[in-house]
Amino acid sequence: MKKGIKSITQIFTIFAVVLFFQACSLKVPIKSTEKSENKYEPSLDVESKAIKEVSFINALDKDATIITGEFKENIHLEYKKEKLEASSFIKNALQEEFKARALPISIIDTSLDSLNLENFEIFVYRSSGFSPVVTFSSLRVTVQIGDKKETFVSIVKRGKVPVWVVDEIFDPCFNEPISLMIKEIVAKINKAYFNYKISDEKVSEIMLKIDKGVNNDDKLNYLNIYELGFSNNPKALELLKQYTNNSDEYLRLASLSMLGFLGGESEFDYLVSKYRNSKIWQDRALSMKAIADINTEKTKKFLQNEYKLWKAQDSKEAIWNVMLLDILKVND
């Protein structure tokens, strides 16, 4: 009897959540991003760098909105009970992550060198009231330091079924992806301009965390996989690649997402195979993102050809792939 009452209650709750999404305004409280615990260190072949000072430039389109997708009119992001101001939020989050990673880069008011915020978007989708709320979050910045100009992109896919209350989607679908994107962008800036690494000892500790997390069914264990990817330490590559075949969706997606960044061109053929042969769209999408992270003329040409193919189609997968390839700026 108790089970029956619980099931009925759960069904009514789900319908309430569905109606809420369809008709009401949902305020999502955004938290300050979680700062990394592991610092980067200069490796033996990399000297400590002088501090680079950059100005932060808000290059978002004037009409750009953070929330896109089918609930863009219903979902409103708030930070400290005020409307989230994307530019200042991202600026502060990046600055705090630079400090947490012990990187010699600082954001100041005026500098000839710059960090340009070009994209900050959370695409929200839900196919039915009984399916997960899915977010594809993206962040893109372009950094100019001296004569070197680089563009860095992060894309994170997450999903959660709100079972009892809509608040259940706040962290997995919004706060966790935003924190991950800040960490990934900083990791990419590090690799391009400083090439510091997380120590072998710390990488071993992260690997142990992952093993324990698998044994304990830790739902946040995928964050440790990302941390391996952010390490810029080749010692992490073998384990990271192993998890690209894991049955846990988020362990697998995190591994795929990080493989191109950490493994580079040596993983191109493997990622193309994943992109071509994976049965689930998100696996193919994150493989495509990882290919873009390799960032060679070969990968650029490959993605440009894929863009032309998908642009000529009108399926849901084609529409979503074009959206992701536009974020990755494969035609630039």
Side-chain angles (χ1 to χ4, degrees):
M1 182 66 178
K2 288 183 179 180
K3 287 185 178 179
I5 294 173
K6 183 177 180 180
S7 297
I8 293 171
T9 304
Q10 189 169 348
I11 290 170
F12 276 111
T13 303
I14 291 171
F15 278 120
V17 169
V18 174
L19 291 173
F20 186 91
F21 264 81
Q22 290 176 339
C24 299
S25 177
L26 176 63
K27 294 180 180 179
V28 179
I30 298 301
K31 301 175 182 177
S32 297
T33 54
E34 292 188 4
K35 296 185 285 292
S36 294
E37 297 179 358
N38 298 308
K39 295 180 180 181
Y40 288 121
E41 300 174 0
S43 55
L44 295 176
D45 59 338
V46 177
E47 296 180 358
S48 296
K49 306 282 186 177
I51 294 177
K52 305 292 185 183
E53 295 180 331
V54 298
S55 60
F56 183 91
I57 298 174
N58 180 15
L60 295 173
D61 292 338
K62 290 182 179 179
D63 299 328
T65 57
I66 301 174
I67 300 296
T68 60
E70 60 184 296
F71 298 114
K72 63 182 179 181
E73 304 297 334
N74 304 84
I75 298 177
H76 306 279
L77 305 184
E78 291 189 345
Y79 179 62
K80 296 182 177 179
K81 298 184 178 180
E82 299 288 339
K83 180 182 178 181
L84 179 70
E85 206 288 308
S87 177
S88 61
F89 179 86
I90 297 298
K91 175 184 176 182
N92 292 335
L94 288 170
Q95 181 66 66
E96 290 300 310
E97 183 65 8
F98 289 143
K99 291 178 183 177
R101 290 296 199 186
L103 288 174
I105 184 169
S106 179
I107 297 174
I108 62 173
D109 291 336
T110 305
S111 173
L112 293 176
D113 296 325
S114 63
L115 189 158
N116 300 265
L117 174 63
E118 297 179 343
N119 167 271
F120 177 34
E121 181 180 342
I122 303 174
F123 177 81
V124 185
Y125 174 79
R126 197 179 197 192
S127 59
S128 73
F130 297 94
S131 61
V133 175
V134 174
T135 56
F136 282 92
S137 303
S138 61
L139 182 65
R140 185 178 69 241
V141 304
T142 293
V143 177
Q144 176 89 49
I145 297 179
D147 295 331
K148 188 173 183 178
K149 184 177 181 180
E150 297 278 354
T151 296
F152 308 103
V153 182
S154 176
I155 296 172
V156 178
K157 184 266 182 185
R158 289 290 280 144
K160 178 71 171 70
V161 177
V163 179
W164 296 109
V165 290
V166 74
D167 299 27
E168 293 173 12
I169 70 169
F170 291 169
D171 282 346
C173 293
F174 298 94
N175 283 303
E176 289 167 19
I178 291 173
S179 285
L180 280 172
M181 291 192 299
I182 292 294
K183 291 178 180 180
E184 181 171 356
I185 293 296
V186 168
K188 288 178 173 178
I189 292 173
N190 164 58
K191 186 172 185 177
Y193 289 96
F194 308 108
N195 205 28
Y196 290 4
K197 295 176 172 60
I198 292 175
S199 69
D200 288 355
E201 180 183 10
K202 289 294 182 182
V203 167
S204 295
E205 289 178 8
I206 297 166
M207 290 178 174
L208 287 175
K209 274 188 180 180
I210 292 170
D211 289 339
K212 289 180 180 178
V214 170
N215 293 332
N216 298 331
D217 196 25
D218 180 2
K219 300 303 181 185
L220 295 179
N221 199 19
Y222 83 104
L223 299 176
N224 296 318
I225 293 285
Y226 272 104
E227 187 68 359
L228 274 189
F230 300 152
S231 70
N232 196 30
N233 188 326
K235 181 178 179 180
L237 184 59
E238 184 178 350
L239 184 65
L240 190 70
K241 191 170 181 177
Q242 287 178 17
Y243 274 92
T244 61
N245 295 309
N246 196 270
S247 60
D248 183 293
E249 178 182 2
Y250 291 110
L251 293 180
R252 188 175 69 252
L253 291 182
S255 302
L256 285 169
S257 179
M258 290 289 95
L259 192 58
F261 173 56
L262 187 61
E265 195 165 6
S266 65
E267 301 303 328
F268 174 71
D269 290 339
Y270 181 78
L271 285 167
V272 170
S273 175
K274 285 292 185 183
Y275 171 66
R276 297 290 189 209
N277 301 319
S278 293
K279 295 180 180 179
I280 305 175
W281 175 77
Q282 51 260 42
D283 289 39
R284 297 192 290 274
L286 271 298
S287 298
M288 182 166 61
K289 177 263 185 192
I291 291 169
D293 284 341
I294 297 172
N295 195 30
T296 62
E297 290 305 314
K298 183 178 181 179
T299 60
K300 289 176 183 177
K301 185 176 181 180
F302 174 84
L303 292 174
Q304 286 167 356
N305 289 334
E306 291 304 302
Y307 185 86
K308 292 176 184 177
L309 291 172
W310 290 116
K311 192 75 173 175
Q313 302 179 40
D314 59 1
S315 65
K316 183 186 291 185
E317 178 163 359
I319 292 169
W320 285 14
N321 281 344
V322 168
M323 176 184 71
L324 292 178
L325 289 166
D326 279 336
I327 293 168
L328 293 166
K329 299 189 76 171
V330 301
N331 283 327
D332 285 12

